[in-house]
Amino acid sequence: MTLTTASPYGIHRVIEPKGVLPQPAWKIDNSMEIFDNEILIDVSALNIDSASFTQIKKEAAGDAARVEAIVRRTVAERGKMHNPITGSGGMLIGTVLQIGAKLAGKIDLEVGDKIATLVSLSLTPLRIDRVKKIHLDKDQIEISGRAVLFETGLFAKLPADIPENVALAILDVAGAPAQTARLVQAGHTVVVIGGGGKSGTLCVYEAKKRVGPAGLVIGVSPFAKDCERMRELGWVDHALQVDATDAVALMEAVSAVTGGRMADVVINCVNIQNTEMASILATRDGGKIYFFSMATSFTAAALGAEGVGKDIEMIVGNGYARDHAKFALALLRESPKLRTLFDEQYV
Amino acid sequence: MTLTTASPYGIHRVIEPKGVLPQPAWKIDNSMEIFDNEILIDVSALNIDSASFTQIKKEAAGDAARVEAIVRRTVAERGKMHNPITGSGGMLIGTVLQIGAKLAGKIDLEVGDKIATLVSLSLTPLRIDRVKKIHLDKDQIEISGRAVLFETGLFAKLPADIPENVALAILDVAGAPAQTARLVQAGHTVVVIGGGGKSGTLCVYEAKKRVGPAGLVIGVSPFAKDCERMRELGWVDHALQVDATDAVALMEAVSAVTGGRMADVVINCVNIQNTEMASILATRDGGKIYFFSMATSFTAAALGAEGVGKDIEMIVGNGYARDHAKFALALLRESPKLRTLFDEQYV
């Protein structure tokens, strides 16, 4: 196993500094002859990360030509659209031009397929040939160009039956329902903190399917409107209007609707700080917490559970699970209510 | 289920602010009439958290009488030895004086047992009657006094056959081997990052027992001395001298000794930053990482795994597991080599 040439992680394309992965690298090789474990993409659009695009627009004083110059300069300097100030990237949409011989036939992808990359632009070799249109209002740049996907690079085939913007909206949080499906079993009591949000709604929906008639799904949001929508959608048994930064309040509310049994599984989807202890107190001894929230503090979770003597398993949310894109898109086909919600709320 | 009076978490003793748990509370009730789900302790010593004691000694300019005054002031103001500057506590040693009626006979504890509390002093109601001796060099204060343990408060009975300081040294990291025992199965390949440290050694020892003859235990340390000791102790199949902040180097080293199969379980015990990616790259697809290190960054782990498309489970280290103290102390009885190591290195 040679790891430094044609590495599945793209290490062979790192120019400087040597010995790191493509994401932390300053500069990577964006030549477009692919290795036998790479995929060549004809790029049609770059969806720039919001933090990055905001910074670029500011530097360009809102001028499209200057935005183009900044983007071109970054790609020329780094071989990737990796904003040196924000450190962030984005994703791209394109069509498969060529699949390396070692991958061809072994992956569910063919030349001509339209895909979205699910790995960051901050590690994706990119060449821009022409900038066609800059959408200043939606962080998108239409281009013609080329990009390379590494062997471990994640992508999703864009389906013909779902509009591109709807597909992208659900792909953004595809890990959440896929991980819920693995965690939740029949008869479980499941609490979804932030159950009214985009990823939270998908977790609630999937949890309801899995727990069956003997189970219980409890959605939590501090907002009356979210709780109302959760009740209307009908996938929660209880919608609790509680602020999850108040650990004792959430514990008491969950205790009240579970007769003191508490949750087998707590899924935390709320991107605000200081909700670790509420998650811990809502979980029964021996239960599990899945932290999807990027605002989770590792030490608050670890020390919090030990401090109250809770023997529980706390899992770091992994946005990737095998076939998660396929899984998420299938939900939109399976549930017209979910599809309508995405059409109306999240595009 | 009434949660606010005689709460298992001690919420009933919170004086201000109301509605929070005893640890974040500014002041708790340290009156020594116990509720029926509390335990009263005759305290003999306070082991002050190192960060806290360093701050106190500095404020006292190294003067023992002033250290006493500061400690007494804190307990008088807060009802607990919760350093208002560092936010940290410590633990205490004492003898059980009284067990509340609701707990008596239901827990493995009797009046007269000598115990160490495994919950922080930052949430433990405490009254100091007399300060007997201040050990400035070992962060310990001998006192006579009283303390209260809540229903969920963790403790360990101090055994008669193991010296107190040796017992305390292993109780400090008791969660590590107990969690290793749950994670590791026969035939597994296990990587312990920081395998030469105190908790790492216990993980290596327990992993070696569990994997059996078909398994593989790999210890990692950047220090030649640690690697030498790991080899001498004989519980690792390989000791890799690699700096785990170099993700690619660790991946290549683990790949070399596993024939590219990588690890089923990675246990990260090293308290330095930026070792998440090395842990991720050393794990096989479908494997697990247990992060014991308090230097773990939640976002580095979550985004790191997604960035390289690794479908792995990453677990937040929980210092508590049921019966972990009993488990850890039994290791010292089971292995004379481990006992000697603790006698020589960690007291």
Side-chain angles (χ1 to χ4, degrees):
Chain A
M1 188 181 183
T2 311
L3 287 157
T4 40
T5 20
S7 145
Y9 303 109
I11 298 168
H12 54 286
R13 283 190 177 259
V14 171
I15 294 175
E16 67 166 287
K18 284 287 177 200
V20 303
L21 289 162
Q23 204 278 336
W26 171 255
K27 184 172 188 168
I28 60 176
D29 175 4
N30 67 345
S31 60
M32 290 296 151
E33 294 91 67
I34 62 168
F35 284 76
D36 63 0
N37 65 344
E38 294 181 334
I39 296 164
L40 183 65
I41 305 165
D42 185 17
V43 182
S44 57
L46 306 175
N47 284 13
I48 307 291
D49 163 82
S50 164
S52 173
F53 206 65
T54 301
Q55 183 278 320
I56 293 169
K57 277 195 292 192
K58 204 172 162 191
E59 189 181 328
D63 178 64
R66 284 173 68 189
V67 167
E68 173 174 346
I70 293 166
V71 168
R72 281 184 174 278
R73 181 189 70 204
T74 298
V75 175
E77 279 176 7
R78 309 195 67 175
K80 54 182 179 174
M81 185 47 217
H82 187 179
N83 187 319
I85 294 161
T86 65
S88 55
M91 42 84 75
L92 64 81
I93 297 165
T95 305
V96 176
L97 268 185
Q98 193 188 340
I99 300 174
K102 265 177 82 176
L103 300 179
K106 281 172 204 145
I107 55 172
D108 179 23
L109 193 68
E110 281 174 50
V111 169
D113 282 346
K114 189 162 193 189
I115 64 170
T117 57
L118 303 179
V119 283
S120 175
L121 287 177
S122 65
L123 58 84
T124 304
L126 177 70
R127 193 187 76 202
I128 297 178
D129 296 323
R130 195 159 69 83
V131 170
K132 293 174 171 173
K133 188 162 187 193
I134 297 178
H135 300 271
L136 288 172
D137 54 327
K138 52 177 192 167
D139 306 355
Q140 197 186 56
I141 306 179
E142 290 179 49
I143 68 161
S144 65
R146 297 275 186 277
V148 172
L149 200 58
F150 305 130
E151 186 174 344
T152 58
L154 303 176
F155 62 87
K157 285 201 280 188
L158 291 172
D161 61 331
I162 296 171
E164 197 172 289
N165 52 356
V166 178
L168 293 178
I170 200 166
L171 289 174
D172 185 38
V173 292
Q179 300 288 9
T180 300
R182 291 180 177 181
L183 272 178
V184 174
Q185 291 168 17
H188 269 173
T189 293
V190 180
V191 168
V192 181
I193 299 177
K198 185 164 81 163
S199 59
T201 299
L202 294 171
C203 293
V204 161
Y205 173 81
E206 186 62 32
K208 186 64 184 166
K209 279 197 311 192
R210 300 269 156 189
V211 300
L216 209 59
V217 176
I218 300 164
V220 178
S221 169
F223 307 115
K225 208 175 150 188
D226 275 4
C227 289
E228 219 171 278
R229 190 166 63 235
M230 281 192 266
R231 285 188 201 102
E232 278 167 18
L233 287 167
W235 302 317
V236 291
D237 297 284
H238 302 280
L240 304 178
Q241 191 184 341
V242 181
D243 178 346
T245 62
D246 186 340
V248 174
L250 186 66
M251 173 181 69
E252 292 184 343
V254 171
S255 179
V257 296
T258 61
R261 286 186 315 275
M262 313 310 285
D264 299 292
V265 176
V266 170
I267 301 171
N268 187 325
C269 292
V270 72
N271 269 320
I272 56 168
Q273 293 191 313
N274 204 23
T275 63
E276 298 85 1
M277 191 50 89
S279 308
I280 291 164
L281 294 184
T283 309
R284 71 162 170 83
D285 223 56
K288 290 185 182 188
I289 305 176
Y290 208 89
F291 285 110
F292 265 113
S293 162
M294 282 297 149
T296 304
S297 155
F298 184 89
T299 46
L303 299 177
E306 189 175 1
V308 297
K310 268 278 172 87
D311 188 356
I312 53 178
E313 188 166 293
M314 296 178 285
I315 308 172
V316 178
N318 184 347
Y320 174 63
R322 183 184 287 267
D323 290 330
H324 67 330
K326 200 180 278 187
F327 191 100
L329 292 169
L331 296 179
L332 293 181
R333 298 188 186 100
E334 172 182 297
S335 168
K337 255 202 283 189
L338 205 54
R339 173 65 187 270
T340 306
L341 183 75
F342 266 74
D343 284 346
E344 288 172 0
Q345 293 272 340
Y346 299 121
V347 298
Chain B
M1 189 182 184
T2 312
L3 287 157
T4 41
T5 18
S7 145
Y9 302 110
I11 298 168
H12 55 286
R13 283 190 178 259
V14 171
I15 293 175
E16 66 166 289
K18 283 288 177 200
V20 303
L21 289 163
Q23 203 279 335
W26 172 254
K27 184 172 188 168
I28 61 176
D29 175 3
N30 67 344
S31 60
M32 290 296 150
E33 293 90 65
I34 62 167
F35 284 75
D36 63 1
N37 65 343
E38 293 181 334
I39 295 164
L40 183 65
I41 305 165
D42 185 17
V43 182
S44 57
L46 305 175
N47 283 13
I48 307 290
D49 164 82
S50 164
S52 173
F53 206 65
T54 302
Q55 184 277 319
I56 293 169
K57 276 194 293 192
K58 203 172 164 191
E59 190 180 328
D63 178 63
R66 284 173 68 188
V67 168
E68 174 174 345
I70 293 166
V71 168
R72 281 185 175 277
R73 182 188 68 204
T74 298
V75 175
E77 280 177 4
R78 310 194 68 174
K80 54 182 179 174
M81 185 47 218
H82 187 178
N83 187 319
I85 293 160
T86 65
S88 55
M91 43 83 76
L92 64 82
I93 297 166
T95 306
V96 176
L97 268 185
Q98 192 188 338
I99 300 174
K102 265 177 80 174
L103 300 179
K106 282 173 203 145
I107 55 172
D108 179 22
L109 193 68
E110 281 173 49
V111 169
D113 281 346
K114 189 161 193 190
I115 64 170
T117 58
L118 302 179
V119 284
S120 176
L121 287 177
S122 66
L123 58 85
T124 304
L126 176 71
R127 193 188 75 200
I128 298 178
D129 296 323
R130 196 159 68 85
V131 171
K132 292 175 170 173
K133 189 164 186 191
I134 296 179
H135 300 272
L136 288 172
D137 54 327
K138 52 176 193 170
D139 305 357
Q140 196 185 55
I141 306 180
E142 290 180 48
I143 67 162
S144 65
R146 297 276 186 276
V148 172
L149 201 57
F150 305 131
E151 186 175 344
T152 58
L154 303 175
F155 62 86
K157 284 201 280 190
L158 291 173
D161 61 332
I162 297 172
E164 197 173 290
N165 53 355
V166 178
L168 293 178
I170 201 167
L171 289 173
D172 185 37
V173 292
Q179 300 288 8
T180 300
R182 291 180 177 181
L183 272 177
V184 174
Q185 292 168 16
H188 269 172
T189 293
V190 180
V191 169
V192 181
I193 300 177
K198 185 164 79 164
S199 59
T201 299
L202 294 171
C203 294
V204 161
Y205 173 81
E206 186 61 33
K208 186 63 184 168
K209 279 198 310 191
R210 301 267 157 192
V211 300
L216 210 60
V217 176
I218 300 163
V220 178
S221 169
F223 307 114
K225 209 176 149 189
D226 276 3
C227 289
E228 219 172 279
R229 191 168 60 236
M230 282 193 265
R231 285 189 202 102
E232 278 167 18
L233 288 166
W235 302 318
V236 292
D237 297 284
H238 302 279
L240 304 178
Q241 191 184 341
V242 181
D243 179 346
T245 62
D246 186 339
V248 174
L250 186 66
M251 173 181 70
E252 291 183 345
V254 171
S255 179
V257 296
T258 62
R261 287 186 314 275
M262 312 310 285
D264 300 291
V265 175
V266 170
I267 301 171
N268 187 325
C269 292
V270 71
N271 269 319
I272 56 168
Q273 294 192 312
N274 203 25
T275 63
E276 298 86 1
M277 191 50 91
S279 308
I280 291 164
L281 294 184
T283 310
R284 71 162 169 83
D285 223 58
K288 290 185 182 186
I289 305 176
Y290 207 89
F291 285 109
F292 265 113
S293 162
M294 282 298 150
T296 304
S297 155
F298 184 89
T299 46
L303 299 177
E306 189 175 1
V308 297
K310 267 278 172 86
D311 188 355
I312 53 177
E313 188 167 293
M314 295 176 286
I315 308 171
V316 177
N318 184 348
Y320 175 63
R322 183 184 286 267
D323 290 330
H324 66 331
K326 200 179 279 188
F327 191 101
L329 293 169
L331 296 180
L332 292 181
R333 298 189 187 101
E334 171 182 297
S335 168
K337 256 202 283 189
L338 206 54
R339 173 66 187 271
T340 306
L341 183 75
F342 267 75
D343 284 346
E344 289 173 359
Q345 294 271 339
Y346 299 122
V347 296

